[in-house]
Amino acid sequence: MRNDLITEDDIRLYLRTHTFGQKIHAFFRIGSTNEFANKLAEFGEQEGTLIIAEQQTKGRGRLKREWHSLFGKGLWFSLILRPRQDPEKAGLFSYLAGVSVAQAVEYYVGIKPEFKWPNDLLIDGKKFCGILSEVNFTNGRINFIILGIGINVNHKSKHFPKELIDRATSLSLETGSLIDRTKLLTKIIYRIEENYYYVQENGFDVITTYWKRRCPRLGKKISIYQDNQHIQGLFEDLDQNGCLLLRTENGDTQKIVAGDLT
Ligand code: BT5
């Protein structure tokens, strides 16, 4: 490991991409990389730009939930995408991000993560990565997507707040060794770029197939929490736009766009 902090120079040293991560905004501390990326993108920032921080003071999850982003321990970053895709495909980029992280973690760290719908990556049932994909539409078309990725890398148990200790883990906790965050980051970005150009030509089937193979809840009875209520049923499949298909007790199949699997 060259040094403990992530620098623009080190990222450039290891990055083997054409577009993604070629422009970098690196911070010690920021509110939220997604928030900053949204602002840049609104002002026309190019596709592939990377925004990364050692610490986020207002890291966010979905529905204004908090994302715990300790200094120097994780990877907290966002990428700007400007895909030429139908707007109903926008949700699939979150799967693309998840699969890319899983591929890089398997290759570089030697662990095969599992997916939890819609956007969590887990090891032995504990979350180490969350993805926040924010889509901006203009005139019914995708203007840009901010792909926000948070990964617990070198945390020890004591680094997590009490409420997360039983539910969260880090790659280092799972392997017993420290991981070079810069190298892992560049491998993830490489995978994202590779998958991104692949899906533009060939569609998302390869991504959702990979995702489904690594989702232990698929085909099982699940409960979805949505709009203050629980809906139960069988997790039948994902549809072609990444919505969850839930077969409820009365035999209907319900399409779930957003919610939490409990
Ligand atoms: C997510 O939301 O999992 C999306 C997290 C995305 C974070 C990245 S970091 C870079 C970029 N910039 C941002 O501001 N955000 C993105 P959600 O599915 O809503 O899960 C949030 C929940 O996960 C919280 O309510 C906690 O229960 C839990 N959580 C918070 N911090 C965590 C952590 N570091 N590790 C594991 N779980 C955590």
Side-chain angles (χ1 to χ4, degrees):
M1 218 175 302
R2 282 165 57 88
N3 86 39
D4 221 22
L5 294 180
I6 297 173
T7 65
E8 205 177 314
D9 285 349
D10 279 354
I11 295 173
R12 290 195 194 289
L13 192 64
Y14 296 119
L15 196 61
R16 300 275 175 269
T17 58
H18 296 290
T19 312
F20 285 69
Q22 289 303 317
K23 186 157 177 203
I24 301 169
H25 298 264
F27 298 90
F28 272 108
R29 189 177 295 122
I30 197 169
S32 150
T33 58
N34 259 42
E35 194 186 329
F36 190 80
N38 266 292
K39 287 199 181 119
L40 285 178
E42 273 165 24
F43 284 99
E45 183 70 60
Q46 69 200 45
E47 174 158 271
T49 296
L50 167 70
I51 298 93
I52 183 159
E54 289 290 355
Q55 180 187 8
Q56 295 185 116
T57 53
K58 284 189 190 143
R60 60 193 196 206
R62 292 174 302 141
L63 305 170
K64 302 205 168 113
R65 287 188 285 227
E66 208 180 301
W67 182 258
H68 185 252
S69 321
L70 198 65
F71 186 93
K73 298 291 172 200
L75 287 172
W76 327 123
F77 66 100
S78 305
L79 287 163
I80 296 174
L81 313 184
R82 295 189 182 274
R84 282 189 208 96
Q85 286 278 345
D86 295 337
E88 60 271 19
K89 298 284 175 204
L92 288 163
F93 289 94
S94 173
Y95 292 92
L96 186 149
V99 166
S100 304
V101 172
Q103 290 171 334
V105 165
E106 180 171 355
Y107 171 76
Y108 184 61
V109 184
I111 290 178
K112 286 186 180 182
E114 291 172 350
F115 297 110
K116 181 179 168 206
W117 190 84
N119 61 4
D120 292 352
L121 275 83
L122 316 180
I123 301 168
D124 280 342
K126 289 185 171 187
K127 180 164 170 174
F128 75 95
C129 169
I131 290 157
L132 176 65
S133 161
E134 296 177 307
V135 188
N136 179 291
F137 295 103
T138 306
N139 300 327
R141 299 180 58 193
I142 300 174
N143 183 17
F144 60 81
I145 298 177
I146 305 300
L147 220 47
I149 301 179
I151 306 174
N152 304 327
V153 183
N154 286 328
H155 297 59
K156 296 185 173 144
S157 296
K158 66 174 183 192
H159 293 129
F160 290 113
K162 236 191 252 145
E163 68 274 15
L164 288 181
I165 276 196
D166 296 334
R167 292 186 284 132
T169 190
S170 75
L171 294 173
S172 176
L173 276 171
E174 298 300 324
T175 56
S177 49
L178 284 180
I179 287 150
D180 187 322
R181 289 180 301 142
T182 309
K183 284 190 184 163
L184 177 60
L185 170 75
T186 56
K187 289 186 166 35
I188 293 167
I189 297 174
Y190 177 82
R191 290 289 179 170
I192 290 175
E193 178 171 292
E194 190 177 61
N195 288 327
Y196 183 76
Y197 289 121
Y198 182 88
V199 301
Q200 306 269 14
E201 293 291 315
N202 305 289
F204 282 87
D205 278 1
V206 67
I207 296 293
T208 47
T209 302
Y210 183 106
W211 192 96
K212 286 193 281 186
R213 243 190 276 134
R214 293 279 177 84
C215 176
R217 305 304 296 164
L218 185 76
K220 305 240 168 71
K221 267 191 116 172
I222 56 166
S223 178
I224 300 277
Y225 187 67
Q226 187 194 46
D227 300 332
N228 294 321
Q229 58 169 354
H230 288 277
I231 321 167
Q232 270 155 16
L234 189 83
F235 185 172
E236 217 169 36
D237 205 350
L238 297 177
D239 77 359
Q240 71 276 22
N241 298 327
C243 298
L244 186 152
L245 298 176
L246 190 74
R247 180 137 46 88
T248 52
E249 268 165 15
N250 62 17
D252 292 344
T253 296
Q254 215 172 312
K255 191 161 91 172
I256 313 283
V257 182
D260 283 298
L261 201 147
T262 57

PDB file of all heavy atoms in Angstrom, residues 86-110:
ATOM      1  N   ASP A  86     -33.466   4.613 -22.917  1.00  0.00           N
ATOM      2  CA  ASP A  86     -34.848   4.991 -22.614  1.00  0.00           C
ATOM      3  C   ASP A  86     -34.967   5.276 -21.126  1.00  0.00           C
ATOM      4  O   ASP A  86     -34.338   4.586 -20.317  1.00  0.00           O
ATOM      5  CB  ASP A  86     -35.800   3.851 -22.976  1.00  0.00           C
ATOM      6  CG  ASP A  86     -35.792   3.603 -24.474  1.00  0.00           C
ATOM      7  OD1 ASP A  86     -35.430   4.544 -25.215  1.00  0.00           O
ATOM      8  OD2 ASP A  86     -36.115   2.480 -24.893  1.00  0.00           O
ATOM      9  N   PRO A  87     -35.807   6.270 -20.767  1.00  0.00           N
ATOM     10  CA  PRO A  87     -35.905   6.641 -19.347  1.00  0.00           C
ATOM     11  C   PRO A  87     -36.312   5.498 -18.434  1.00  0.00           C
ATOM     12  O   PRO A  87     -35.865   5.436 -17.283  1.00  0.00           O
ATOM     13  CB  PRO A  87     -36.977   7.740 -19.342  1.00  0.00           C
ATOM     14  CG  PRO A  87     -37.508   7.832 -20.718  1.00  0.00           C
ATOM     15  CD  PRO A  87     -36.589   7.129 -21.641  1.00  0.00           C
ATOM     16  N   GLU A  88     -37.108   4.546 -18.950  1.00  0.00           N
ATOM     17  CA  GLU A  88     -37.529   3.446 -18.054  1.00  0.00           C
ATOM     18  C   GLU A  88     -36.378   2.500 -17.712  1.00  0.00           C
ATOM     19  O   GLU A  88     -36.485   1.679 -16.820  1.00  0.00           O
ATOM     20  CB  GLU A  88     -38.737   2.678 -18.620  1.00  0.00           C
ATOM     21  CG  GLU A  88     -38.533   2.033 -19.958  1.00  0.00           C
ATOM     22  CD  GLU A  88     -38.868   2.961 -21.124  1.00  0.00           C
ATOM     23  OE1 GLU A  88     -38.919   4.195 -20.927  1.00  0.00           O
ATOM     24  OE2 GLU A  88     -39.065   2.435 -22.239  1.00  0.00           O
ATOM     25  N   LYS A  89     -35.252   2.660 -18.415  1.00  0.00           N
ATOM     26  CA  LYS A  89     -34.085   1.808 -18.115  1.00  0.00           C
ATOM     27  C   LYS A  89     -33.189   2.437 -17.038  1.00  0.00           C
ATOM     28  O   LYS A  89     -32.194   1.826 -16.625  1.00  0.00           O
ATOM     29  CB  LYS A  89     -33.229   1.602 -19.380  1.00  0.00           C
ATOM     30  CG  LYS A  89     -33.945   0.907 -20.510  1.00  0.00           C
ATOM     31  CD  LYS A  89     -34.072  -0.578 -20.250  1.00  0.00           C
ATOM     32  CE  LYS A  89     -34.894  -1.263 -21.324  1.00  0.00           C
ATOM     33  NZ  LYS A  89     -35.518  -2.494 -20.891  1.00  0.00           N
ATOM     34  N   ALA A  90     -33.522   3.640 -16.605  1.00  0.00           N
ATOM     35  CA  ALA A  90     -32.628   4.385 -15.704  1.00  0.00           C
ATOM     36  C   ALA A  90     -32.282   3.596 -14.437  1.00  0.00           C
ATOM     37  O   ALA A  90     -31.150   3.611 -13.968  1.00  0.00           O
ATOM     38  CB  ALA A  90     -33.250   5.730 -15.339  1.00  0.00           C
ATOM     39  N   GLY A  91     -33.280   2.879 -13.893  1.00  0.00           N
ATOM     40  CA  GLY A  91     -33.067   2.141 -12.644  1.00  0.00           C
ATOM     41  C   GLY A  91     -32.050   1.022 -12.773  1.00  0.00           C
ATOM     42  O   GLY A  91     -31.510   0.541 -11.767  1.00  0.00           O
ATOM     43  N   LEU A  92     -31.792   0.579 -13.987  1.00  0.00           N
ATOM     44  CA  LEU A  92     -30.879  -0.555 -14.175  1.00  0.00           C
ATOM     45  C   LEU A  92     -29.419  -0.189 -13.913  1.00  0.00           C
ATOM     46  O   LEU A  92     -28.590  -1.069 -13.689  1.00  0.00           O
ATOM     47  CB  LEU A  92     -31.037  -1.110 -15.594  1.00  0.00           C
ATOM     48  CG  LEU A  92     -32.346  -1.878 -15.825  1.00  0.00           C
ATOM     49  CD1 LEU A  92     -32.630  -2.034 -17.309  1.00  0.00           C
ATOM     50  CD2 LEU A  92     -32.281  -3.246 -15.154  1.00  0.00           C
ATOM     51  N   PHE A  93     -29.107   1.101 -13.935  1.00  0.00           N
ATOM     52  CA  PHE A  93     -27.709   1.494 -13.713  1.00  0.00           C
ATOM     53  C   PHE A  93     -27.268   1.242 -12.271  1.00  0.00           C
ATOM     54  O   PHE A  93     -26.087   1.081 -11.991  1.00  0.00           O
ATOM     55  CB  PHE A  93     -27.482   2.944 -14.148  1.00  0.00           C
ATOM     56  CG  PHE A  93     -27.519   3.076 -15.639  1.00  0.00           C
ATOM     57  CD1 PHE A  93     -28.690   3.420 -16.290  1.00  0.00           C
ATOM     58  CD2 PHE A  93     -26.398   2.785 -16.397  1.00  0.00           C
ATOM     59  CE1 PHE A  93     -28.752   3.488 -17.675  1.00  0.00           C
ATOM     60  CE2 PHE A  93     -26.439   2.855 -17.781  1.00  0.00           C
ATOM     61  CZ  PHE A  93     -27.621   3.208 -18.420  1.00  0.00           C
ATOM     62  N   SER A  94     -28.237   1.198 -11.378  1.00  0.00           N
ATOM     63  CA  SER A  94     -27.925   0.864 -10.001  1.00  0.00           C
ATOM     64  C   SER A  94     -27.470  -0.603  -9.913  1.00  0.00           C
ATOM     65  O   SER A  94     -26.527  -0.937  -9.184  1.00  0.00           O
ATOM     66  CB  SER A  94     -29.176   1.125  -9.165  1.00  0.00           C
ATOM     67  OG  SER A  94     -29.002   0.685  -7.882  1.00  0.00           O
ATOM     68  N   TYR A  95     -28.121  -1.480 -10.683  1.00  0.00           N
ATOM     69  CA  TYR A  95     -27.692  -2.887 -10.738  1.00  0.00           C
ATOM     70  C   TYR A  95     -26.297  -2.986 -11.370  1.00  0.00           C
ATOM     71  O   TYR A  95     -25.461  -3.775 -10.950  1.00  0.00           O
ATOM     72  CB  TYR A  95     -28.676  -3.723 -11.560  1.00  0.00           C
ATOM     73  CG  TYR A  95     -30.021  -3.883 -10.904  1.00  0.00           C
ATOM     74  CD1 TYR A  95     -31.060  -3.000 -11.162  1.00  0.00           C
ATOM     75  CD2 TYR A  95     -30.256  -4.928 -10.020  1.00  0.00           C
ATOM     76  CE1 TYR A  95     -32.292  -3.137 -10.559  1.00  0.00           C
ATOM     77  CE2 TYR A  95     -31.492  -5.081  -9.404  1.00  0.00           C
ATOM     78  CZ  TYR A  95     -32.506  -4.175  -9.680  1.00  0.00           C
ATOM     79  OH  TYR A  95     -33.720  -4.322  -9.069  1.00  0.00           O
ATOM     80  N   LEU A  96     -26.097  -2.171 -12.405  1.00  0.00           N
ATOM     81  CA  LEU A  96     -24.779  -2.182 -13.071  1.00  0.00           C
ATOM     82  C   LEU A  96     -23.674  -1.820 -12.068  1.00  0.00           C
ATOM     83  O   LEU A  96     -22.615  -2.453 -12.032  1.00  0.00           O
ATOM     84  CB  LEU A  96     -24.800  -1.201 -14.238  1.00  0.00           C
ATOM     85  CG  LEU A  96     -23.567  -1.167 -15.138  1.00  0.00           C
ATOM     86  CD1 LEU A  96     -23.973  -0.804 -16.569  1.00  0.00           C
ATOM     87  CD2 LEU A  96     -22.522  -0.189 -14.672  1.00  0.00           C
ATOM     88  N   ALA A  97     -23.960  -0.834 -11.240  1.00  0.00           N
ATOM     89  CA  ALA A  97     -22.972  -0.431 -10.236  1.00  0.00           C
ATOM     90  C   ALA A  97     -22.721  -1.564  -9.238  1.00  0.00           C
ATOM     91  O   ALA A  97     -21.577  -1.897  -8.927  1.00  0.00           O
ATOM     92  CB  ALA A  97     -23.450   0.822  -9.505  1.00  0.00           C
ATOM     93  N   GLY A  98     -23.804  -2.164  -8.748  1.00  0.00           N
ATOM     94  CA  GLY A  98     -23.683  -3.245  -7.768  1.00  0.00           C
ATOM     95  C   GLY A  98     -22.890  -4.420  -8.316  1.00  0.00           C
ATOM     96  O   GLY A  98     -21.992  -4.955  -7.647  1.00  0.00           O
ATOM     97  N   VAL A  99     -23.206  -4.804  -9.543  1.00  0.00           N
ATOM     98  CA  VAL A  99     -22.512  -5.940 -10.156  1.00  0.00           C
ATOM     99  C   VAL A  99     -21.033  -5.597 -10.359  1.00  0.00           C
ATOM    100  O   VAL A  99     -20.154  -6.427 -10.104  1.00  0.00           O
ATOM    101  CB  VAL A  99     -23.197  -6.335 -11.490  1.00  0.00           C
ATOM    102  CG1 VAL A  99     -22.327  -7.272 -12.310  1.00  0.00           C
ATOM    103  CG2 VAL A  99     -24.557  -6.964 -11.203  1.00  0.00           C
ATOM    104  N   SER A 100     -20.743  -4.374 -10.768  1.00  0.00           N
ATOM    105  CA  SER A 100     -19.348  -3.971 -10.988  1.00  0.00           C
ATOM    106  C   SER A 100     -18.561  -4.024  -9.678  1.00  0.00           C
ATOM    107  O   SER A 100     -17.409  -4.476  -9.658  1.00  0.00           O
ATOM    108  CB  SER A 100     -19.282  -2.552 -11.567  1.00  0.00           C
ATOM    109  OG  SER A 100     -20.044  -2.464 -12.749  1.00  0.00           O
ATOM    110  N   VAL A 101     -19.174  -3.548  -8.598  1.00  0.00           N
ATOM    111  CA  VAL A 101     -18.497  -3.616  -7.287  1.00  0.00           C
ATOM    112  C   VAL A 101     -18.261  -5.079  -6.918  1.00  0.00           C
ATOM    113  O   VAL A 101     -17.155  -5.468  -6.504  1.00  0.00           O
ATOM    114  CB  VAL A 101     -19.319  -2.907  -6.181  1.00  0.00           C
ATOM    115  CG1 VAL A 101     -18.705  -3.157  -4.811  1.00  0.00           C
ATOM    116  CG2 VAL A 101     -19.428  -1.413  -6.446  1.00  0.00           C
ATOM    117  N   ALA A 102     -19.285  -5.912  -7.095  1.00  0.00           N
ATOM    118  CA  ALA A 102     -19.150  -7.334  -6.727  1.00  0.00           C
ATOM    119  C   ALA A 102     -18.040  -7.998  -7.535  1.00  0.00           C
ATOM    120  O   ALA A 102     -17.238  -8.768  -6.992  1.00  0.00           O
ATOM    121  CB  ALA A 102     -20.475  -8.059  -6.941  1.00  0.00           C
ATOM    122  N   GLN A 103     -17.976  -7.708  -8.827  1.00  0.00           N
ATOM    123  CA  GLN A 103     -16.932  -8.313  -9.673  1.00  0.00           C
ATOM    124  C   GLN A 103     -15.540  -7.881  -9.211  1.00  0.00           C
ATOM    125  O   GLN A 103     -14.628  -8.696  -9.113  1.00  0.00           O
ATOM    126  CB  GLN A 103     -17.146  -7.906 -11.139  1.00  0.00           C
ATOM    127  CG  GLN A 103     -18.373  -8.563 -11.765  1.00  0.00           C
ATOM    128  CD  GLN A 103     -18.699  -7.997 -13.141  1.00  0.00           C
ATOM    129  OE1 GLN A 103     -18.374  -6.851 -13.459  1.00  0.00           O
ATOM    130  NE2 GLN A 103     -19.378  -8.807 -13.945  1.00  0.00           N
ATOM    131  N   ALA A 104     -15.398  -6.590  -8.913  1.00  0.00           N
ATOM    132  CA  ALA A 104     -14.084  -6.094  -8.486  1.00  0.00           C
ATOM    133  C   ALA A 104     -13.704  -6.674  -7.120  1.00  0.00           C
ATOM    134  O   ALA A 104     -12.551  -7.035  -6.886  1.00  0.00           O
ATOM    135  CB  ALA A 104     -14.094  -4.565  -8.440  1.00  0.00           C
ATOM    136  N   VAL A 105     -14.677  -6.767  -6.221  1.00  0.00           N
ATOM    137  CA  VAL A 105     -14.400  -7.310  -4.883  1.00  0.00           C
ATOM    138  C   VAL A 105     -14.020  -8.792  -4.994  1.00  0.00           C
ATOM    139  O   VAL A 105     -13.085  -9.263  -4.338  1.00  0.00           O
ATOM    140  CB  VAL A 105     -15.619  -7.106  -3.952  1.00  0.00           C
ATOM    141  CG1 VAL A 105     -15.514  -7.968  -2.699  1.00  0.00           C
ATOM    142  CG2 VAL A 105     -15.739  -5.634  -3.555  1.00  0.00           C
ATOM    143  N   GLU A 106     -14.703  -9.501  -5.854  1.00  0.00           N
ATOM    144  CA  GLU A 106     -14.378 -10.926  -6.008  1.00  0.00           C
ATOM    145  C   GLU A 106     -12.957 -11.083  -6.565  1.00  0.00           C
ATOM    146  O   GLU A 106     -12.161 -11.876  -6.071  1.00  0.00           O
ATOM    147  CB  GLU A 106     -15.387 -11.599  -6.938  1.00  0.00           C
ATOM    148  CG  GLU A 106     -15.065 -13.067  -7.113  1.00  0.00           C
ATOM    149  CD  GLU A 106     -16.136 -13.864  -7.836  1.00  0.00           C
ATOM    150  OE1 GLU A 106     -17.208 -13.306  -8.143  1.00  0.00           O
ATOM    151  OE2 GLU A 106     -15.878 -15.042  -8.104  1.00  0.00           O
ATOM    152  N   TYR A 107     -12.633 -10.282  -7.565  1.00  0.00           N
ATOM    153  CA  TYR A 107     -11.347 -10.393  -8.245  1.00  0.00           C
ATOM    154  C   TYR A 107     -10.205  -9.900  -7.354  1.00  0.00           C
ATOM    155  O   TYR A 107      -9.165 -10.531  -7.251  1.00  0.00           O
ATOM    156  CB  TYR A 107     -11.425  -9.573  -9.533  1.00  0.00           C
ATOM    157  CG  TYR A 107     -10.118  -9.401 -10.250  1.00  0.00           C
ATOM    158  CD1 TYR A 107      -9.551 -10.444 -10.988  1.00  0.00           C
ATOM    159  CD2 TYR A 107      -9.435  -8.182 -10.199  1.00  0.00           C
ATOM    160  CE1 TYR A 107      -8.347 -10.277 -11.632  1.00  0.00           C
ATOM    161  CE2 TYR A 107      -8.233  -8.012 -10.848  1.00  0.00           C
ATOM    162  CZ  TYR A 107      -7.685  -9.066 -11.564  1.00  0.00           C
ATOM    163  OH  TYR A 107      -6.494  -8.898 -12.201  1.00  0.00           O
ATOM    164  N   TYR A 108     -10.420  -8.790  -6.685  1.00  0.00           N
ATOM    165  CA  TYR A 108      -9.311  -8.151  -5.964  1.00  0.00           C
ATOM    166  C   TYR A 108      -9.221  -8.581  -4.496  1.00  0.00           C
ATOM    167  O   TYR A 108      -8.142  -8.669  -3.934  1.00  0.00           O
ATOM    168  CB  TYR A 108      -9.444  -6.625  -6.071  1.00  0.00           C
ATOM    169  CG  TYR A 108      -8.290  -5.884  -5.428  1.00  0.00           C
ATOM    170  CD1 TYR A 108      -6.992  -6.057  -5.895  1.00  0.00           C
ATOM    171  CD2 TYR A 108      -8.496  -5.037  -4.342  1.00  0.00           C
ATOM    172  CE1 TYR A 108      -5.930  -5.421  -5.299  1.00  0.00           C
ATOM    173  CE2 TYR A 108      -7.441  -4.386  -3.737  1.00  0.00           C
ATOM    174  CZ  TYR A 108      -6.155  -4.576  -4.219  1.00  0.00           C
ATOM    175  OH  TYR A 108      -5.107  -3.944  -3.624  1.00  0.00           O
ATOM    176  N   VAL A 109     -10.403  -8.824  -3.865  1.00  0.00           N
ATOM    177  CA  VAL A 109     -10.403  -9.143  -2.427  1.00  0.00           C
ATOM    178  C   VAL A 109     -10.616 -10.645  -2.201  1.00  0.00           C
ATOM    179  O   VAL A 109     -10.268 -11.175  -1.148  1.00  0.00           O
ATOM    180  CB  VAL A 109     -11.497  -8.317  -1.698  1.00  0.00           C
ATOM    181  CG1 VAL A 109     -11.479  -8.534  -0.207  1.00  0.00           C
ATOM    182  CG2 VAL A 109     -11.350  -6.824  -2.005  1.00  0.00           C
ATOM    183  N   GLY A 110     -11.205 -11.316  -3.195  1.00  0.00           N
ATOM    184  CA  GLY A 110     -11.404 -12.759  -3.073  1.00  0.00           C
ATOM    185  C   GLY A 110     -12.638 -13.155  -2.296  1.00  0.00           C
ATOM    186  O   GLY A 110     -12.722 -14.255  -1.755  1.00  0.00           O
TER     187      GLY A 110
END
